[in-house]
Amino acid sequence: MATTPQDLTITPRDRRFGRGTKQDRWWMGGDPVATAFYNALSASFPKGEAFFVEAVRAFRDGTPPKLEAEIRAFTTQEVMHSREHVAFNKRALEAGYDLTELEQRIEWRLSITRSRPPIVNLAATMCLEHFTAILAHQLLKNPKHLDKADAESAALWRWHAIEEIEHKGVAYDTWLHATRGLSRWKRWKIKAKVMLFVTRNFVVDRSKGTLILLRQDGITGLKAWRKMLWFAWINPGMLRKILGAWLAFFLPGFHPWKHDDRGLIKLAESDYAAAVLPQPAAA
Ligand SMILES: [Fe+2]
Ligand SMILES: [Fe+2]
């Protein structure tokens, strides 16, 4: 069975984006639909990622030292993601969007999950972390997704994607450790059930969020549905493009690092370095 690479290092990158800048209302190339899709996702991050950290840390005690260190690095990364998405969401607010309804829905969804046993919270986190890792992979692999975004926002989303890929095995390994006493079949049954459940909620909630934001732009009814579905499933079709990687989760012997995509991190980091570091003067 695949495992997390021994030589993987999880490096929290303390970066800040878009501070002191005014973000366009439609920061995604003037496209309200693309903007609403990503704004809805961002609205879910601060509370969602705080929940992930809490769910994983509940099982930290007794984990092997390597995993324990990875949980620490994962925590630092997620806390910084929350900080940057709080700032991003504030810019969306300043641009005229009201995210209250979206945030209330997350709160409500998380309160239901939190009422379940800690192991269910860990399972939900493990599934959602797979979800974010495959979204992150697609975001970095296919430049089309962010090519119309303003530079600061694109850098924020790429940075987040890099770190999501880097720590994609942490919740999974914590889950494997926490359920080491269960049979493979029992583990599979739980994770398959939870994955179907959280995927349904994720798609429904983010779609609702996107529609709420579109309504604030005066796009409503069938037109809003059509535009949202087209964007999410057809062109650029983020959800369609992650379908194969989502299905892989159900295969026997699955592990997030069965697919080693650290090459994408390296590539995105060299683009970042080229964009922010002073270039040597031409000879
Ligand atoms: Fe994150
Ligand atoms: Fe994450």
Side-chain angles (χ1 to χ4, degrees), residues 113-162:
T113 316
R114 282 195 175 104
S115 69
R116 310 291 308 277
I119 193 69
V120 177
N121 284 256
L122 178 63
T125 299
M126 175 264 286
C127 294
L128 284 163
E129 278 286 287
H130 178 58
F131 219 97
T132 46
I134 60 180
L135 284 170
H137 176 97
Q138 179 55 226
L139 201 71
L140 292 185
K141 193 180 135 195
N142 190 341
K144 189 176 178 179
H145 294 296
L146 289 172
D147 65 354
K148 292 194 188 74
D150 72 57
E152 278 294 302
S153 304
L156 158 70
W157 286 88
R158 284 200 193 97
W159 163 78
H160 195 167
I162 287 171

Side-chain angles (χ1 to χ4, degrees), residues 45 49 52 74 77-82 85 129 132 160-161 163-164 167:
F45 285 146
E49 301 199 300
F52 295 168
F74 155 81
Q77 288 189 334
E78 294 294 31
V79 167
M80 289 192 300
H81 299 168
S82 289
H85 280 276
E129 278 286 287
T132 46
H160 195 167
E163 297 200 340
E164 286 305 318
H167 72 227

Side-chain angles (χ1 to χ4, degrees), residues 21-39:
T21 59
K22 196 178 162 300
Q23 195 163 292
D24 284 346
R25 182 175 174 100
W26 297 338
W27 59 271
M28 263 295 217
D31 178 353
V33 184
T35 300
F37 182 86
Y38 284 93
N39 281 2

Side-chain angles (χ1 to χ4, degrees), residues 11-13 55 94 176 190 210 257 272-273:
T11 316
R13 300 155 179 80
E94 285 160 3
L176 287 179
I190 300 172
T210 305
W257 283 108
Y272 174 78

Side-chain angles (χ1 to χ4, degrees), residues 31-203:
D31 178 353
V33 184
T35 300
F37 182 86
Y38 284 93
N39 281 2
L41 209 53
S42 180
S44 75
F45 285 146
K47 288 194 169 68
E49 301 199 300
F51 165 78
F52 295 168
V53 165
E54 179 189 307
V56 169
R57 281 166 65 97
F59 289 89
R60 189 186 48 180
D61 290 350
T63 51
K66 181 175 182 283
L67 180 55
E68 204 185 340
E70 286 174 356
I71 293 175
R72 222 172 300 127
F74 155 81
T75 302
T76 310
Q77 288 189 334
E78 294 294 31
V79 167
M80 289 192 300
H81 299 168
S82 289
R83 180 192 74 199
E84 289 312 300
H85 280 276
V86 164
F88 179 88
N89 295 345
K90 202 168 147 250
R91 292 195 292 280
L93 184 86
E94 285 160 3
Y97 286 113
D98 181 0
L99 304 179
T100 319
E101 221 179 314
L102 282 73
E103 286 164 353
Q104 281 169 348
R105 193 169 178 90
I106 311 271
E107 198 84 73
W108 167 75
R109 187 69 80 190
L110 289 175
S111 71
I112 298 174
T113 316
R114 282 195 175 104
S115 69
R116 310 291 308 277
I119 193 69
V120 177
N121 284 256
L122 178 63
T125 299
M126 175 264 286
C127 294
L128 284 163
E129 278 286 287
H130 178 58
F131 219 97
T132 46
I134 60 180
L135 284 170
H137 176 97
Q138 179 55 226
L139 201 71
L140 292 185
K141 193 180 135 195
N142 190 341
K144 189 176 178 179
H145 294 296
L146 289 172
D147 65 354
K148 292 194 188 74
D150 72 57
E152 278 294 302
S153 304
L156 158 70
W157 286 88
R158 284 200 193 97
W159 163 78
H160 195 167
I162 287 171
E163 297 200 340
E164 286 305 318
I165 291 178
E166 206 168 64
H167 72 227
K168 67 178 178 173
V170 176
Y172 202 86
D173 289 343
T174 309
W175 151 262
L176 287 179
H177 184 262
T179 58
R180 62 197 179 285
L182 299 181
S183 68
R184 283 183 68 168
W185 167 239
K186 179 107 208 233
R187 267 175 168 172
W188 186 85
K189 231 170 59 180
I190 300 172
K191 77 171 212 180
K193 220 166 112 178
V194 174
M195 186 50 138
L196 291 173
F197 188 70
V198 301
T199 300
R200 179 213 161 264
N201 292 346
F202 182 91
V203 173

